[in-house]
Amino acid sequence: QGQLVESGGGLVQPGGSLRLSCAAFGSIFRIYNLGWYRQGPGKQRELVATISSGGSTNYADSLEGRFTISRDSAKNMVYLQMNNLKPEDTAVYYCNANYGISNHWGQGTQVTVSS
């Protein structure tokens, strides 16, 4: 078994940037697809971005190229660089690790975009 721990959330003004980090404790995560999901107030959890063990990425269409996902497999870390943040990006952001039927979630980190 493993554990995912997110960090890097906070309050940022519109147009600002944040970088979220997720530490994946457990060597099994090196073969997992890693990703970020978010759940805004009154909304369902939605995909933000994923990255495979080979580095292939997938993004939600709504992001308009503002976010970038990356991973450091040697450190078992996955990152989400978020630029030009908008108030509608306000949400709890969750780290996810998936491999077949095995699915793990972090506890989430709050991102609030407000002036």
Side-chain angles (χ1 to χ4, degrees), residues 60-114:
D61 292 339
S62 61
L63 296 178
E64 302 173 335
R66 298 181 293 118
F67 292 8
T68 302
I69 190 171
S70 60
R71 69 189 288 171
D72 185 332
S73 295
K75 297 181 179 179
N76 267 7
M77 297 288 294
V78 61
Y79 306 99
L80 185 69
Q81 178 66 43
M82 306 185 293
N83 298 326
N84 190 22
L85 283 161
K86 303 177 180 181
E88 52 263 41
D89 295 317
T90 294
V92 178
Y93 284 71
Y94 296 92
C95 183
N96 174 265
N98 175 265
Y99 188 81
I101 63 172
S102 179
N103 203 34
H104 301 260
W105 294 97
Q107 82 287 353
T109 185
Q110 176 70 46
V111 172
T112 302
V113 185
S114 175

Side-chain angles (χ1 to χ4, degrees), residues 26-85:
S27 61
I28 61 172
F29 289 126
R30 290 176 181 168
I31 64 171
Y32 275 54
N33 298 317
L34 300 177
W36 291 95
Y37 290 72
R38 68 185 181 185
Q39 187 166 11
K43 298 180 181 180
Q44 291 186 332
R45 192 173 298 189
E46 63 178 1
L47 168 72
V48 176
T50 61
I51 184 166
S52 71
S53 58
S56 298
T57 58
N58 178 54
Y59 295 93
D61 292 339
S62 61
L63 296 178
E64 302 173 335
R66 298 181 293 118
F67 292 8
T68 302
I69 190 171
S70 60
R71 69 189 288 171
D72 185 332
S73 295
K75 297 181 179 179
N76 267 7
M77 297 288 294
V78 61
Y79 306 99
L80 185 69
Q81 178 66 43
M82 306 185 293
N83 298 326
N84 190 22
L85 283 161

